[in-house]
Amino acid sequence: MITKAGVLAFCLLTATTTSYAQVSVAPRIGFGITSVTQAFDPNKPRLTLHAGVEGAYELIENLTLRSGLLLEGKGVRTSDKSGGNSIKASIGFIYLTIPLHAQYSLPIADEFDVWGSAGFYFSAAINGVAKYKYNINGTQSSDSDHIDFGLDNDGIRRGDGGFDIGAGISVPFLANKLDVGFELSLGLVNLNDPDESDELYNRSIKLLARYPLVFE
């Protein structure tokens, strides 16, 4: 038996869902400072780019669930010296990344919001290149090599995943709001062979901009 209270509750739930259900798709672009850290032996960061598309679904007022697909670079620079000889290496990876974040926005003025986000990312490497520069007894040379993926091939683990936390501001721009902010990514997957003593983790700080296309 359907009661009046049940009908009223259904109407209120439907009204609330309709009020807050909003979907947006946002092209995203930015750059990052990335590194691959070793235990007790941090390496030098590397400047990289990322681009892709994110979608957002408004769960309740000011709270959205975000996901999408990004093409992003990661990597590291490192060097070593011994006597008068030296070697410098620049290692770059290209990943396909799926972020999954919850974002909360707080209005601070007319049309201006600040936001914070947290969540996880899941990545798969699709390419990797290592470039080397040598200085041996005053003779300089260079070389490059493709990076093998897969622990069975004595390579680097292809898959990666970790934790993201970010913050930024939304400002009026044309018909919608432009999001600008930063994102800190902490890899939780050891990229190296578990039998090796050195554990390798991706780390990055990314600056981002995205412009949502809103669909009610």
Side-chain angles (χ1 to χ4, degrees), residues 27-69:
R28 167 176 164 170
I29 192 169
F31 66 91
I33 301 173
T34 73
S35 185
V36 178
T37 62
Q38 297 180 11
F40 311 113
D41 186 17
N43 289 302
K44 298 177 181 179
R46 189 174 189 270
L47 186 64
T48 61
L49 300 174
H50 72 268
V53 176
E54 288 186 351
Y57 179 79
E58 191 171 17
L59 300 174
I60 59 175
E61 187 176 13
N62 299 329
L63 180 64
T64 57
L65 181 66
R66 308 190 65 91
S67 187
L69 183 63

Short mmCIF file of all heavy atoms in Angstrom, two decimals, residues 27-69:
data_model
loop_
_atom_site.label_atom_id
_atom_site.label_comp_id
_atom_site.label_asym_id
_atom_site.label_seq_id
_atom_site.Cartn_x
_atom_site.Cartn_y
_atom_site.Cartn_z
N PRO A 27 37.66 19.90 -20.55
CA PRO A 27 39.03 19.72 -21.04
C PRO A 27 40.01 20.24 -19.99
O PRO A 27 39.77 21.26 -19.35
CB PRO A 27 39.06 20.58 -22.31
CG PRO A 27 37.63 20.77 -22.69
CD PRO A 27 36.85 20.77 -21.42
N ARG A 28 41.11 19.52 -19.81
CA ARG A 28 42.09 19.87 -18.78
C ARG A 28 43.49 19.86 -19.38
O ARG A 28 43.84 19.01 -20.20
CB ARG A 28 42.01 18.88 -17.61
CG ARG A 28 43.18 18.96 -16.65
CD ARG A 28 43.01 18.03 -15.47
NE ARG A 28 44.27 17.84 -14.76
CZ ARG A 28 44.39 17.23 -13.58
NH1 ARG A 28 43.32 16.76 -12.97
NH2 ARG A 28 45.57 17.10 -13.02
N ILE A 29 44.30 20.82 -18.96
CA ILE A 29 45.69 20.90 -19.41
C ILE A 29 46.53 21.47 -18.27
O ILE A 29 46.02 22.18 -17.40
CB ILE A 29 45.82 21.77 -20.68
CG1 ILE A 29 47.20 21.62 -21.32
CG2 ILE A 29 45.50 23.23 -20.38
CD1 ILE A 29 47.31 22.24 -22.70
N GLY A 30 47.81 21.15 -18.27
CA GLY A 30 48.69 21.68 -17.24
C GLY A 30 50.08 21.12 -17.35
O GLY A 30 50.41 20.40 -18.30
N PHE A 31 50.91 21.46 -16.40
CA PHE A 31 52.26 20.92 -16.36
C PHE A 31 52.59 20.52 -14.93
O PHE A 31 51.92 20.91 -13.98
CB PHE A 31 53.29 21.93 -16.90
CG PHE A 31 53.47 23.16 -16.06
CD1 PHE A 31 54.42 23.20 -15.05
CD2 PHE A 31 52.70 24.29 -16.29
CE1 PHE A 31 54.59 24.33 -14.28
CE2 PHE A 31 52.87 25.43 -15.53
CZ PHE A 31 53.81 25.44 -14.52
N GLY A 32 53.61 19.68 -14.81
CA GLY A 32 53.95 19.18 -13.49
C GLY A 32 55.44 19.10 -13.28
O GLY A 32 56.23 19.09 -14.22
N ILE A 33 55.82 19.06 -12.02
CA ILE A 33 57.19 18.80 -11.61
C ILE A 33 57.19 17.40 -11.01
O ILE A 33 56.55 17.16 -9.98
CB ILE A 33 57.68 19.84 -10.59
CG1 ILE A 33 57.61 21.24 -11.21
CG2 ILE A 33 59.09 19.53 -10.13
CD1 ILE A 33 57.92 22.35 -10.22
N THR A 34 57.83 16.47 -11.67
CA THR A 34 57.73 15.07 -11.29
C THR A 34 59.10 14.50 -10.92
O THR A 34 60.15 15.02 -11.30
CB THR A 34 57.16 14.22 -12.44
OG1 THR A 34 58.14 14.07 -13.47
CG2 THR A 34 55.93 14.88 -13.02
N SER A 35 59.05 13.41 -10.18
CA SER A 35 60.27 12.71 -9.80
C SER A 35 59.93 11.26 -9.49
O SER A 35 58.76 10.90 -9.32
CB SER A 35 60.93 13.37 -8.58
OG SER A 35 62.18 12.75 -8.28
N VAL A 36 60.95 10.43 -9.47
CA VAL A 36 60.82 9.05 -9.03
C VAL A 36 61.76 8.91 -7.84
O VAL A 36 62.97 9.02 -7.98
CB VAL A 36 61.19 8.04 -10.13
CG1 VAL A 36 61.09 6.62 -9.60
CG2 VAL A 36 60.29 8.23 -11.34
N THR A 37 61.19 8.73 -6.68
CA THR A 37 61.99 8.75 -5.46
C THR A 37 62.47 7.35 -5.09
O THR A 37 61.78 6.35 -5.31
CB THR A 37 61.19 9.31 -4.28
OG1 THR A 37 60.07 8.47 -4.02
CG2 THR A 37 60.73 10.72 -4.58
N GLN A 38 63.66 7.31 -4.53
CA GLN A 38 64.21 6.10 -3.94
C GLN A 38 64.31 6.32 -2.44
O GLN A 38 64.43 7.45 -1.97
CB GLN A 38 65.60 5.79 -4.49
CG GLN A 38 65.65 5.51 -5.99
CD GLN A 38 67.06 5.22 -6.44
OE1 GLN A 38 67.95 5.04 -5.64
NE2 GLN A 38 67.26 5.18 -7.75
N ALA A 39 64.24 5.25 -1.70
CA ALA A 39 64.37 5.36 -0.25
C ALA A 39 65.73 5.97 0.09
O ALA A 39 66.77 5.49 -0.35
CB ALA A 39 64.24 3.98 0.39
N PHE A 40 65.71 7.09 0.83
CA PHE A 40 66.91 7.78 1.31
C PHE A 40 67.77 8.36 0.17
O PHE A 40 68.91 8.73 0.40
CB PHE A 40 67.78 6.83 2.15
CG PHE A 40 67.01 6.09 3.20
CD1 PHE A 40 66.84 4.73 3.12
CD2 PHE A 40 66.43 6.77 4.26
CE1 PHE A 40 66.12 4.04 4.08
CE2 PHE A 40 65.70 6.10 5.22
CZ PHE A 40 65.55 4.73 5.12
N ASP A 41 67.25 8.41 -1.06
CA ASP A 41 68.06 8.90 -2.18
C ASP A 41 67.17 9.64 -3.17
O ASP A 41 66.88 9.13 -4.26
CB ASP A 41 68.76 7.73 -2.87
CG ASP A 41 69.74 8.23 -3.95
OD1 ASP A 41 70.09 9.43 -3.93
OD2 ASP A 41 70.14 7.43 -4.80
N PRO A 42 66.70 10.85 -2.83
CA PRO A 42 65.83 11.58 -3.74
C PRO A 42 66.57 12.01 -5.00
O PRO A 42 67.74 12.37 -4.96
CB PRO A 42 65.39 12.79 -2.91
CG PRO A 42 66.48 12.97 -1.90
CD PRO A 42 66.98 11.59 -1.60
N ASN A 43 65.87 11.97 -6.15
CA ASN A 43 66.44 12.39 -7.42
C ASN A 43 65.97 13.80 -7.76
O ASN A 43 65.18 14.40 -7.06
CB ASN A 43 66.03 11.40 -8.51
CG ASN A 43 66.73 10.07 -8.37
OD1 ASN A 43 67.95 10.00 -8.37
ND2 ASN A 43 65.96 9.00 -8.22
N LYS A 44 66.47 14.29 -8.88
CA LYS A 44 66.12 15.63 -9.31
C LYS A 44 64.80 15.61 -10.07
O LYS A 44 64.52 14.66 -10.81
CB LYS A 44 67.23 16.21 -10.19
CG LYS A 44 68.56 16.35 -9.47
CD LYS A 44 69.63 16.86 -10.42
CE LYS A 44 70.98 16.99 -9.71
NZ LYS A 44 72.06 17.46 -10.61
N PRO A 45 63.97 16.64 -9.93
CA PRO A 45 62.66 16.65 -10.61
C PRO A 45 62.79 16.91 -12.10
O PRO A 45 63.82 17.37 -12.59
CB PRO A 45 61.91 17.78 -9.91
CG PRO A 45 62.99 18.69 -9.41
CD PRO A 45 64.14 17.80 -9.05
N ARG A 46 61.72 16.62 -12.80
CA ARG A 46 61.65 16.78 -14.25
C ARG A 46 60.34 17.49 -14.59
O ARG A 46 59.29 17.19 -14.02
CB ARG A 46 61.70 15.41 -14.92
CG ARG A 46 61.84 15.40 -16.43
CD ARG A 46 62.04 13.96 -16.90
NE ARG A 46 62.39 13.90 -18.31
CZ ARG A 46 61.49 13.81 -19.29
NH1 ARG A 46 60.20 13.77 -19.00
NH2 ARG A 46 61.88 13.75 -20.55
N LEU A 47 60.39 18.45 -15.52
CA LEU A 47 59.21 19.20 -15.92
C LEU A 47 58.46 18.41 -17.00
O LEU A 47 59.05 17.99 -18.00
CB LEU A 47 59.60 20.58 -16.45
CG LEU A 47 58.45 21.54 -16.78
CD1 LEU A 47 57.67 21.90 -15.52
CD2 LEU A 47 58.98 22.80 -17.46
N THR A 48 57.15 18.21 -16.79
CA THR A 48 56.34 17.42 -17.72
C THR A 48 55.02 18.14 -18.00
O THR A 48 54.65 19.10 -17.32
CB THR A 48 56.05 16.02 -17.17
OG1 THR A 48 55.32 16.16 -15.94
CG2 THR A 48 57.34 15.26 -16.91
N LEU A 49 54.28 17.62 -18.98
CA LEU A 49 52.97 18.15 -19.36
C LEU A 49 51.90 17.08 -19.17
O LEU A 49 52.20 15.88 -19.16
CB LEU A 49 52.98 18.62 -20.81
CG LEU A 49 53.97 19.72 -21.19
CD1 LEU A 49 53.94 19.96 -22.70
CD2 LEU A 49 53.67 21.01 -20.44
N HIS A 50 50.66 17.53 -19.05
CA HIS A 50 49.54 16.60 -19.06
C HIS A 50 48.34 17.27 -19.72
O HIS A 50 48.20 18.50 -19.71
CB HIS A 50 49.19 16.12 -17.65
CG HIS A 50 48.53 17.16 -16.79
ND1 HIS A 50 49.24 17.98 -15.95
CD2 HIS A 50 47.23 17.50 -16.63
CE1 HIS A 50 48.42 18.79 -15.31
NE2 HIS A 50 47.19 18.52 -15.71
N ALA A 51 47.46 16.45 -20.31
CA ALA A 51 46.26 16.96 -20.97
C ALA A 51 45.23 15.83 -21.00
O ALA A 51 45.58 14.65 -21.01
CB ALA A 51 46.56 17.46 -22.37
N GLY A 52 43.96 16.21 -21.03
CA GLY A 52 42.92 15.20 -21.10
C GLY A 52 41.55 15.81 -20.88
O GLY A 52 41.34 17.02 -21.03
N VAL A 53 40.62 14.94 -20.52
CA VAL A 53 39.23 15.34 -20.31
C VAL A 53 38.76 14.75 -18.99
O VAL A 53 39.03 13.59 -18.68
CB VAL A 53 38.32 14.86 -21.45
CG1 VAL A 53 36.86 15.20 -21.16
CG2 VAL A 53 38.73 15.47 -22.78
N GLU A 54 38.06 15.56 -18.20
CA GLU A 54 37.45 15.11 -16.95
C GLU A 54 35.94 15.33 -16.99
O GLU A 54 35.47 16.31 -17.54
CB GLU A 54 38.03 15.86 -15.75
CG GLU A 54 39.44 15.49 -15.39
CD GLU A 54 39.90 16.15 -14.11
OE1 GLU A 54 39.18 17.03 -13.59
OE2 GLU A 54 40.98 15.79 -13.63
N GLY A 55 35.23 14.40 -16.37
CA GLY A 55 33.80 14.56 -16.19
C GLY A 55 33.50 14.72 -14.71
O GLY A 55 34.21 14.18 -13.86
N ALA A 56 32.44 15.45 -14.40
CA ALA A 56 32.05 15.68 -13.01
C ALA A 56 30.55 15.47 -12.86
O ALA A 56 29.76 15.89 -13.72
CB ALA A 56 32.44 17.08 -12.55
N TYR A 57 30.17 14.81 -11.77
CA TYR A 57 28.76 14.60 -11.45
C TYR A 57 28.51 15.16 -10.06
O TYR A 57 29.18 14.77 -9.09
CB TYR A 57 28.41 13.12 -11.49
CG TYR A 57 26.95 12.85 -11.15
CD1 TYR A 57 25.96 13.05 -12.09
CD2 TYR A 57 26.60 12.40 -9.88
CE1 TYR A 57 24.63 12.80 -11.79
CE2 TYR A 57 25.27 12.15 -9.57
CZ TYR A 57 24.29 12.36 -10.52
OH TYR A 57 22.98 12.12 -10.22
N GLU A 58 27.56 16.06 -9.95
CA GLU A 58 27.26 16.71 -8.67
C GLU A 58 26.42 15.77 -7.80
O GLU A 58 25.27 15.46 -8.12
CB GLU A 58 26.52 18.03 -8.89
CG GLU A 58 26.41 18.86 -7.63
CD GLU A 58 25.88 20.25 -7.90
OE1 GLU A 58 25.30 20.47 -8.97
OE2 GLU A 58 26.05 21.13 -7.03
N LEU A 59 27.00 15.30 -6.70
CA LEU A 59 26.31 14.39 -5.79
C LEU A 59 25.29 15.13 -4.94
O LEU A 59 24.13 14.73 -4.84
CB LEU A 59 27.34 13.68 -4.91
CG LEU A 59 28.38 12.83 -5.63
CD1 LEU A 59 29.42 12.32 -4.64
CD2 LEU A 59 27.73 11.68 -6.37
N ILE A 60 25.76 16.16 -4.27
CA ILE A 60 24.90 17.07 -3.53
C ILE A 60 25.44 18.48 -3.80
O ILE A 60 26.44 18.64 -4.50
CB ILE A 60 24.90 16.77 -2.01
CG1 ILE A 60 26.32 16.86 -1.44
CG2 ILE A 60 24.30 15.40 -1.73
CD1 ILE A 60 26.38 16.70 0.07
N GLU A 61 24.80 19.46 -3.23
CA GLU A 61 25.23 20.84 -3.49
C GLU A 61 26.69 21.03 -3.07
O GLU A 61 27.07 20.69 -1.95
CB GLU A 61 24.34 21.83 -2.73
CG GLU A 61 24.64 23.28 -3.09
CD GLU A 61 23.67 24.23 -2.41
OE1 GLU A 61 22.97 23.79 -1.49
OE2 GLU A 61 23.64 25.41 -2.79
N ASN A 62 27.50 21.50 -4.01
CA ASN A 62 28.92 21.82 -3.81
C ASN A 62 29.84 20.60 -3.75
O ASN A 62 31.06 20.77 -3.65
CB ASN A 62 29.14 22.67 -2.54
CG ASN A 62 28.43 23.99 -2.59
OD1 ASN A 62 28.25 24.56 -3.67
ND2 ASN A 62 27.99 24.48 -1.45
N LEU A 63 29.30 19.39 -3.79
CA LEU A 63 30.13 18.19 -3.73
C LEU A 63 29.98 17.41 -5.03
O LEU A 63 28.87 17.00 -5.41
CB LEU A 63 29.73 17.30 -2.55
CG LEU A 63 30.54 16.01 -2.38
CD1 LEU A 63 32.01 16.32 -2.10
CD2 LEU A 63 29.94 15.15 -1.27
N THR A 64 31.11 17.19 -5.73
CA THR A 64 31.08 16.50 -7.01
C THR A 64 32.04 15.31 -7.00
O THR A 64 33.03 15.29 -6.26
CB THR A 64 31.48 17.45 -8.17
OG1 THR A 64 32.78 18.00 -7.90
CG2 THR A 64 30.48 18.57 -8.33
N LEU A 65 31.71 14.35 -7.84
CA LEU A 65 32.58 13.20 -8.10
C LEU A 65 33.19 13.39 -9.47
O LEU A 65 32.46 13.58 -10.45
CB LEU A 65 31.78 11.90 -8.04
CG LEU A 65 32.57 10.61 -8.25
CD1 LEU A 65 33.55 10.38 -7.10
CD2 LEU A 65 31.62 9.42 -8.39
N ARG A 66 34.54 13.35 -9.55
CA ARG A 66 35.24 13.64 -10.80
C ARG A 66 36.03 12.42 -11.25
O ARG A 66 36.64 11.72 -10.45
CB ARG A 66 36.20 14.82 -10.64
CG ARG A 66 35.62 16.08 -10.06
CD ARG A 66 36.59 17.24 -10.17
NE ARG A 66 36.81 17.58 -11.55
CZ ARG A 66 36.10 18.49 -12.23
NH1 ARG A 66 35.13 19.15 -11.62
NH2 ARG A 66 36.36 18.74 -13.49
N SER A 67 36.03 12.19 -12.57
CA SER A 67 36.87 11.17 -13.16
C SER A 67 37.12 11.55 -14.61
O SER A 67 36.52 12.50 -15.13
CB SER A 67 36.21 9.79 -13.05
OG SER A 67 37.11 8.78 -13.49
N GLY A 68 37.98 10.82 -15.29
CA GLY A 68 38.27 11.13 -16.67
C GLY A 68 39.44 10.32 -17.19
O GLY A 68 39.76 9.24 -16.67
N LEU A 69 40.09 10.85 -18.21
CA LEU A 69 41.24 10.19 -18.83
C LEU A 69 42.28 11.25 -19.17
O LEU A 69 41.99 12.21 -19.88
CB LEU A 69 40.82 9.44 -20.08
CG LEU A 69 41.92 8.63 -20.79
CD1 LEU A 69 42.44 7.51 -19.87
CD2 LEU A 69 41.42 8.06 -22.10
#
